[in-house]
Amino acid sequence: MTKPIARLLVTCRGEIAVRVIRAAKEMGITSIAAYSDADADALAVRLADESINIGGAHAKKSYLNQEALLAAADEVNADAVHPGYGFLSENASFANAVTQAGLIWVGPSGATIERMGHKAQAIATARDAGVPVVPGSKGLIESVEQALAATAEIGYPVLIKAAAGGGGRGIRVAHNDDELAAGIAGATQEAEAAFGDGGVYLERFIAQARHIEVQILGDGIDAVHFYERDCSLQRRRQKVWEEAPAAVLTPEVREKICQSAVALAKSVGYSGAGTIEYLYDAGTTEFYFIEMNTRIQVEHPITEEICGVDLIRAMIDVAGGAPLPYRQDDIRIDGHVIEVRINAENPDLNFMPAPGTIDELEWPLGPGIRIDSMAYAGYKIPPYYDSLIGKLIVHGATRDQALGRLRRALTEITLTGPATTIPFFARLLDQPDVADNEFHTTWIEQWMESQQ
Ligand code: ADP
Ligand code: ADP
Ligand code: MG
C-alpha cells in the first residue's frame, strides 16, 4: 500500500512508544497510544494526540492481544500500526493480520519477518547471500542423536539456541555430550513455554567475541546501512551499554561487514528498519552472522546521533510508500556515541526488578546529552513489563570525550524511589578495560564474578 500515513496506532509501551509518538507529531501524523489498564498514566498516553485502552495489565490481555489491537485500530480509525520493539513487533501473523485489515504495518512484511525473524531460517538465508555464519547445526535439531552428530563437527562448547528466542533468553551452553543431551530436552521445553515454539538449533560458542550489529533500512528494492554498533557489554546476553562506531573495527572490516548487511537485506527485498547482528572475533578479524531483528531496536538512538538521521521517521516514511530517504553516500559518522540502559533494577540484589513510584526526577542537561525515557516525577513503574525506564545517550567528538560526558551525566541524574542501574554504570566506567575498549560479550559476568 502506498499512501502517506495520517493516523498511527502505537501498539507498544514505555520509552519506545514515546519515541514513536514524538516522531509522528513531528511529521504531522495523528498519534494514538494503545495502552493497557496498567498504563493509563503512561507518558505515551499523555503525549499522544489520542489514546485507547486495549485491555488488562498482563501483556497477553493487551500488548500481545492481536484481536484487541485490531479492534482498537478499527475503533480509532487508524490507517497504520507501529509495533515498536518487543511484544508483537516480530510476529509475522500479526503483521499479516494488520495488512489484511487494510492497514499499513510499519515494518517488513509478514513473509520477511517469518524468513528473517526465525533464527534457523535466517541463518540459511544469510549463508545463501554469502554472509559468513557461525559453524552450527544447519537447521533445527530433531533428536539427541542428530545433535551429537552435529556437535562432533562443530566442537564443544556449543550453544543450544531457541529458534524463536529473543531478549537474550532461550540460549544454553553445553560443554560435553551429557550436557548436550540434557540441554536439548530442557531447551526445547523451555522454548515451547516461553516462545510457543520448541525449535532449537546448535551453534559453536565463540569465546570472547564482540557483538557488532549493522543498522539497515530498505524500501523493498534498495537498502542502505547506517554503520555499526558495538553491543558487547552485556549481562546474561542482554545488552546494557552500546556504542557507535565499534572502535575495534578497521575501516576495511567496517566496510566489509556493512556491505554484507546490505547484501543480505537486498537479497530478501527488505522493507523498513532492521538490524543484522554478528559476532566478531578481534583476534582473526572474522565476523559471523547470528540473527536479524526485523524491527527497530532499543539502541537505535546511538545510530541516529552518530549519523544525524531519524530512523523512526524514515521507517514511517518507507512504510507509507516513500522511497529511501537517505542515499548511502550521504550517510556519514560523526564522533562517538554511547548509550546506557537505565533499568528499574537493583544491581546490589542481582538486578532484581524494582518497580514503584519515582519521587524525584531530574535528567542531565548540557552538551552531547540525549534522554529517551517515559519516566516522570510521580510516575509509578508497573511491575508487569520490562524494567527499562530510560536510555542515556551521550555524544562526543571522540570516545574519550563521550566517556567523560557519560560520567558527568550520570552524576547529574536525580532519580529517587526505585533502585536503578545508574550506580552500576558509574562502577563500570571506573574499569580500565571499559575505558580502554578491551571487552567482549561475557566480560561483565567475568568482572562481576571476580568481585565476589
Ligand atoms: P537474542 O535473540 O536473544 O538477541 P542472539 O542470537 O542475538 O539472541 O544472541 C544474544 C547474545 O548471546 C549475543 O549478543 C552473544 O553475546 C551471545 N551469543 C549468541 N550466539 C553466540 C555464539 N555462537 N557464541 C558466543 N556467544 C553467542
Ligand atoms: P534489542 O535487540 O533491540 O537490543 P533486546 O534484545 O533487548 O533489544 O529486546 C528488545 C525488547 O524486546 C526487550 O524488552 C526484550 O525483553 C523484548 N524481546 C525481544 N525478543 C523477545 C521475545 N522473543 N520474546 C519476548 N520478548 C522479547
Ligand atoms: Mg540478538
Side-chain angles (χ1 to χ4, degrees):
M1 209 178 309
T2 53
K3 66 171 168 56
I5 293 167
R7 294 179 59 79
L8 180 66
L9 183 69
V10 181
T11 59
C12 50
R13 66 173 302 283
E15 66 87 20
I16 193 63
V18 169
R19 172 72 187 87
V20 172
I21 288 162
R22 284 181 169 147
K25 289 195 147 187
E26 290 174 13
M27 297 172 81
I29 294 172
T30 301
S31 55
I32 307 146
Y35 67 96
S36 74
D37 291 346
D39 279 336
D41 293 332
L43 185 59
V45 173
R46 294 188 179 186
L47 292 183
D49 298 309
E50 299 171 24
S51 60
I52 181 163
N53 181 285
I54 46 160
H58 287 284
K60 276 198 176 142
K61 298 205 165 131
S62 46
Y63 301 105
L64 289 172
N65 183 343
Q66 299 193 26
E67 272 171 37
L69 290 166
L70 291 167
D74 186 49
E75 193 173 327
V76 301
N77 215 0
D79 54 18
V81 167
H82 198 307
Y85 56 68
F87 301 119
L88 296 171
S89 61
E90 291 187 275
N91 187 300
S93 81
F94 185 56
N96 285 331
V98 165
T99 314
Q100 275 153 22
L103 307 171
I104 294 173
W105 168 256
V106 182
S109 68
T112 304
I113 295 177
E114 207 154 298
R115 183 160 178 197
M116 299 311 287
H118 190 273
K119 292 184 180 184
Q121 219 164 312
I123 290 167
T125 306
R127 201 189 294 119
D128 289 347
V131 178
V133 301
V134 184
S137 59
K138 301 194 178 68
L140 295 180
I141 290 294
E142 310 290 346
S143 68
V144 171
E145 292 69 40
Q146 186 203 345
L148 290 167
T151 307
E153 272 182 46
I154 304 166
Y156 287 111
V158 294
L159 291 182
I160 307 163
K161 298 177 74 171
R169 283 161 297 168
I171 301 179
R172 295 181 174 208
V173 196
H175 296 90
N176 53 51
D177 289 359
D178 287 345
E179 283 181 18
L180 183 66
I184 295 281
T188 305
Q189 255 176 18
E190 229 173 70
E192 180 65 53
F195 313 113
D197 174 348
V200 298
Y201 63 101
L202 302 179
E203 219 165 73
R204 177 186 293 162
F205 179 78
I206 311 279
Q208 309 223 326
R210 292 267 182 169
H211 174 115
I212 307 276
E213 57 183 40
V214 178
Q215 175 71 53
I216 60 104
L217 179 74
D219 64 4
I221 296 157
D222 203 5
V224 293
H225 70 78
F226 298 83
Y227 294 93
E228 82 288 353
R229 303 184 278 258
D230 184 329
C231 312
S232 304
L233 285 174
Q234 306 181 351
R235 204 180 71 79
R236 295 191 176 160
R237 305 192 176 94
Q238 256 285 8
K239 302 153 189 166
V240 299
W241 162 313
E242 302 101 347
E243 304 192 20
V248 70
L249 299 184
T250 62
E252 292 73 32
V253 176
R254 172 169 300 119
E255 192 56 27
K256 240 169 94 180
I257 199 166
C258 292
Q259 287 310 330
S260 89
V262 170
L264 180 52
K266 281 190 189 169
S267 81
V268 297
Y270 195 85
S271 183
T275 297
I276 302 187
E277 297 191 332
Y278 301 85
L279 290 178
Y280 175 69
D281 181 334
T284 62
T285 74
E286 298 289 329
F287 57 85
Y288 309 91
F289 170 88
I290 49 171
E291 69 153 341
M292 176 164 198
N293 291 316
T294 54
R295 54 170 167 85
I296 195 69
Q297 274 188 301
V298 174
E299 58 275 23
H300 75 277
I302 62 175
T303 299
E304 294 190 319
E305 293 306 311
I306 205 156
C307 294
V309 298
D310 185 334
L311 292 169
I312 306 289
R313 183 185 185 109
M315 73 193 288
I316 293 172
D317 273 339
V318 166
L324 285 180
Y326 301 103
R327 288 187 322 175
Q328 191 65 62
D329 285 349
D330 298 334
I331 304 167
R332 300 252 149 73
I333 49 181
D334 171 31
H336 197 92
V337 183
I338 303 175
E339 170 185 283
V340 294
R341 298 190 187 192
I342 299 174
N343 286 59
E345 292 174 358
N346 191 334
D348 294 328
L349 290 176
N350 199 24
F351 294 84
M352 196 205 286
T357 302
I358 297 175
D359 300 321
E360 284 175 287
L361 178 60
E362 264 177 67
W363 289 117
L365 294 169
I369 308 286
R370 166 172 169 180
I371 304 284
D372 276 26
S373 172
M374 80 298 214
Y376 57 84
Y379 175 59
K380 190 167 180 212
I381 304 161
Y384 308 101
Y385 313 108
D386 196 273
S387 57
L388 183 71
I389 53 168
K391 303 176 305 200
L392 165 60
I393 301 118
V394 294
H395 195 170
T398 61
R399 186 169 187 271
D400 276 347
Q401 192 182 32
L403 287 168
R405 282 209 163 128
L406 178 57
R407 186 184 303 278
R408 187 266 294 174
L410 286 170
T411 64
E412 269 184 45
I413 302 176
T414 304
L415 196 163
T416 60
T420 75
T421 48
I422 293 166
F424 175 74
F425 292 119
R427 291 202 292 275
L428 253 189
L429 260 171
D430 284 337
Q431 299 310 305
D433 283 354
V434 173
D436 296 341
N437 193 23
E438 293 285 343
F439 46 77
H440 49 79
T441 53
T442 50
W443 184 92
I444 286 186
E445 261 119 20
Q446 288 170 16
W447 168 58
M448 287 172 61
E449 266 168 39
S450 76
Q451 291 195 304
Q452 280 166 3

